[in-house]
Amino acid sequence: MTNAVVSRPTDLEQEVARRRTFAIISHPDAGKTTLTEKLLLYGGAIELAGSVRARKNQRQTTSDWMEMEQQRGISVTATALQFDWKGARLNLLDTPGHEDFSEDTYRTLMAVDSAVMVIDAARGIEAQTRKLFDVCRQRNIPILVFVNKLDHPSREPLSLLDEIESVLDIGAVPLNWPIGNGPTFQGIYDLQRGRVMQFSRTAHGQKRAPVQISTLDGPELTGLIGEDAAEQLREDVELLEIAGEDFEFERFLRGDLAPVFFGSALTNFGVEVFLDALVDLAPPPQPRASDQGIVEPTREDFTGFVFKIQANMDPRHRDCMAFLRVCSGRFEKGVLVHHPRSGKDIRLSRPHRLFAQERETVESAYPGDVVGLVNPGVFAIGDTVHTGDLVEYRAIPRFQPERFARLVSNDVSRTKQLSKGLAQLDEEGAIQVFHSIDGGARAVVLGAVGDLQFDVIIARLENEYGVTTRIERLPYRLAQLGGRDVRQPRR
Ligand code: G4P
């Protein structure tokens, strides 16, 4: 007989196993902010729902620098929210929606292991959801779908599932089923555990929704949800059992099939079950491709990469923060890392975590966590830092710009400052800088994914480099830019 040696998981393995790093993607107004807030409410990170939304409402698109700064402060404070749920540690990475849609949003998706797609139950799949979904698809990011606003008159669940499948070309398997619709929406049937969950509203949805549980066949069901609803639910479930597709975990992990949950973030109906499912289904930090092959998160050497750079986050100190996703090993404050792009060794002595308006110093972090590093012009998007053997992660792709504009300086005496500013903004990934030869003269052409990027550039060039500029929109498409006369400087 052989004695099996069972080794106990190390601290690192345990910490990796309990991490879930994800982003929420949606079309504006589908309920991303509300769901974020409710996840934080259930996770115990906030006591009353309302604060995240209140902050969002202060946000507005504006070219006024102070307000934009304020808005950036807000979006940045939410760069990575960390909270615990049933022993798991969740990192929610913010993907700004709305007008501030930009390359930043896409890049954040390079730093997550899964994504939650929020869909408005009356509107179905909308334009921005599709774009964000495409980025997830390219990376095979597993997606969980939360169909929101069931408390409002909604489309039929089956038609929504059909739409997800046909428009996104992905399998869609419901893991819960709504009971009622609009004013009659009162709960869900948890198809995995076979339980009926009937919820009660709380004032403004500020607190957790009380829940009563029954089985589908239990005598108490009719008393709980009413005769008509009980009959309808039994019919629906029978139909799903006959016609429904099975949930295949492997397909989900490949990003080929999405579990679908129905609920209402506003009233908290279905939020807790969703959070449970997120912890159960979403994968822990995944291995990452590097020039030295695949790096496992449990590798002892610390490695990470920069996925976002944000300048002037705090108007009190004009600093620049680089956001690093930890990919392997344990990160410790003050660690001496190697920075392959510059060939230098750097001590990471002031790591931060950001939550609400506060910065908090990070003593340690594990794979999946996000650390903010004060960046004295050292880091660029995609940079690797590591301890131990040399390793470099693959570059983060640049995303195809959708809008173009010629940048015109109002101040020819400040050409040097303009070049310096553009180089920095290009490096940060705030905008893509191209040059074109216009009738013999060299003109700067900017490419962006979202309009707000142009406003930010003009404001930052003026505030940080003292150069006033304006933009002239160009009707170019990328295909036209691919010609001889336009080139992008090497990064
Ligand atoms: P977003 O971040 O995706 O843009 O959406 P957000 O959460 O801000 O929600 C957009 C609007 O939809 C908000 O209404 C919000 O209250 C509402 N909403 C979110 N989830 C639900 C839900 O489950 N049911 C219903 N009925 N509405 C929901 P608003 O009028 O723009 O703002 P407010 O006046 O409520 O603050």
Side-chain angles (χ1 to χ4, degrees):
M1 207 173 83
T2 53
N3 277 334
V5 180
V6 181
S7 59
R8 297 212 357 235
T10 62
D11 279 357
L12 178 58
E13 284 167 346
Q14 284 180 5
E15 292 298 334
V16 168
R18 76 188 191 102
R19 293 284 189 292
R20 303 285 180 274
T21 299
F22 68 103
I24 305 185
I25 56 176
S26 76
H27 189 84
D29 280 347
K32 190 181 69 150
T33 311
T34 311
L35 183 65
T36 301
E37 181 158 272
K38 297 313 172 74
L39 296 181
L40 294 176
L41 174 73
Y42 276 90
I46 53 173
E47 282 188 7
L48 279 184
S51 44
V52 180
R53 284 203 51 73
R55 260 187 263 133
K56 177 189 151 176
N57 289 343
Q58 291 162 9
R59 291 206 222 176
Q60 269 172 17
T61 309
T62 164
S63 53
D64 180 284
W65 178 241
M66 281 318 287
E67 273 186 50
M68 199 179 320
E69 189 129 291
Q70 214 178 35
Q71 166 209 330
R72 298 167 113 229
I74 291 157
S75 95
V76 164
T77 52
T79 289
L81 300 166
Q82 193 174 63
F83 61 99
D84 289 343
W85 180 248
K86 297 189 178 166
R89 177 148 296 178
L90 291 95
N91 290 305
L92 198 178
L93 273 50
D94 187 44
T95 55
H98 285 229
E99 309 83 2
D100 41 2
F101 186 62
S102 68
E103 276 191 89
D104 246 13
T105 311
Y106 286 168
R107 281 192 211 109
T108 298
L109 293 173
M110 302 291 118
V112 299
D113 302 297
S114 60
V116 169
M117 187 162 90
V118 182
I119 295 177
D120 182 322
R123 294 170 178 267
I125 306 280
E126 297 174 89
Q128 205 147 297
T129 329
R130 257 181 98 158
K131 282 196 203 167
L132 290 161
F133 173 81
D134 285 345
V135 178
C136 294
R137 197 70 201 258
Q138 281 158 21
R139 274 202 57 218
N140 300 331
I141 298 175
I143 292 184
L144 297 97
V145 177
F146 187 81
V147 180
N148 190 30
K149 304 196 186 181
L150 261 293
D151 60 304
H152 253 197
S154 313
R155 284 172 44 188
E156 282 299 315
L158 280 176
S159 117
L160 287 161
L161 293 171
D162 273 355
E163 184 173 85
I164 297 171
E165 294 205 325
S166 59
V167 175
L168 302 182
D169 190 23
I170 185 173
V173 176
L175 293 191
N176 72 24
W177 199 252
I179 304 173
N181 179 327
T184 64
F185 180 54
Q186 52 173 323
I188 52 157
Y189 179 63
D190 177 348
L191 285 151
Q192 281 185 303
R193 295 192 177 81
R195 50 182 184 163
V196 175
M197 305 181 79
Q198 196 264 357
F199 303 103
S200 312
R201 288 182 176 240
T202 62
H204 310 293
Q206 280 188 323
K207 297 203 167 157
R208 295 164 175 229
V211 56
Q212 296 199 61
I213 309 246
S214 155
T215 59
L216 197 58
D217 309 315
E220 70 284 12
L221 183 65
T222 310
L224 193 61
I225 65 173
E227 204 166 313
D228 291 350
E231 196 176 320
Q232 178 71 48
L233 179 64
R234 289 195 185 105
E235 266 177 37
D236 288 349
V237 173
E238 201 180 319
L239 185 73
L240 286 171
E241 275 164 5
I242 299 166
E245 201 180 340
D246 283 343
F247 177 68
E248 290 173 61
F249 190 59
E250 289 303 317
R251 281 184 66 198
F252 159 68
L253 289 182
R254 289 200 303 272
D256 192 33
L257 179 145
V260 179
F261 302 83
F262 294 89
S264 153
L266 192 70
T267 59
N268 302 333
F269 289 13
V271 171
E272 184 166 359
V273 197
F274 181 67
L275 198 46
D276 284 343
L278 188 64
V279 170
D280 286 348
L281 301 176
Q286 293 297 291
R288 218 167 177 92
S290 79
D291 62 349
Q292 303 296 319
I294 298 291
V295 177
E296 292 293 332
T298 47
R299 164 186 164 134
E300 285 295 323
D301 291 334
F302 157 70
T303 63
F305 74 95
V306 174
F307 66 94
K308 173 169 171 163
I309 292 199
Q310 187 106 39
N312 300 320
M313 283 181 24
D314 184 342
R316 284 167 304 178
H317 1 94
R318 289 209 165 272
D319 57 5
C320 184
M321 185 79 85
F323 292 94
L324 178 104
R325 151 139 184 170
V326 180
C327 296
S328 73
R330 180 182 144 102
F331 167 87
E332 275 175 59
K333 183 181 163 198
V335 64
L336 186 68
V337 295
H338 183 66
H339 179 237
R341 192 172 56 88
S342 65
K344 290 186 182 152
D345 291 333
I346 302 169
R347 191 167 297 285
L348 304 181
S349 46
R350 286 198 291 156
H352 288 97
R353 179 175 292 135
L354 297 131
F355 193 84
Q357 298 289 16
E358 301 302 321
R359 289 184 187 186
E360 176 194 315
T361 306
V362 175
E363 296 298 326
S364 65
Y366 287 93
D369 292 348
V370 171
V371 177
L373 302 170
V374 176
N375 175 26
V378 179
F379 299 116
I381 300 273
D383 279 5
T384 302
V385 293
H386 68 90
T387 61
D389 293 343
L390 188 68
V391 61
E392 202 165 354
Y393 286 110
R394 285 203 192 135
I396 294 186
R398 298 231 56 175
F399 294 93
Q400 184 161 319
E402 291 176 16
R403 289 136 214 249
F404 295 94
R406 185 183 293 116
L407 184 75
V408 183
S409 172
N410 296 336
D411 192 352
V412 278
S413 66
R414 299 189 68 83
T415 315
K416 247 194 197 153
Q417 287 84 345
L418 177 64
S419 306
K420 199 171 151 210
L422 281 176
Q424 167 65 23
L425 295 168
D426 187 37
E427 178 150 302
E428 272 181 33
I431 200 93
Q432 299 193 34
V433 181
F434 301 87
H435 294 289
S436 77
I437 309 294
D438 268 3
R442 215 165 99 100
V444 175
V445 173
L446 303 179
V449 169
D451 278 333
L452 188 75
Q453 283 176 264
F454 293 130
D455 296 347
V456 169
I457 295 315
I458 292 176
R460 288 191 54 189
L461 284 173
E462 183 165 352
N463 283 276
E464 293 164 41
Y465 299 90
V467 193
T468 56
T469 51
R470 61 179 193 280
I471 56 160
E472 291 167 2
R473 294 310 189 103
L474 296 171
Y476 292 167
R477 302 193 65 95
L478 197 70
Q480 289 163 294
L481 273 174
R484 284 175 281 125
D485 61 344
V486 178
R487 64 205 152 77
Q488 192 168 11
R490 263 168 59 84
R491 285 171 59 77

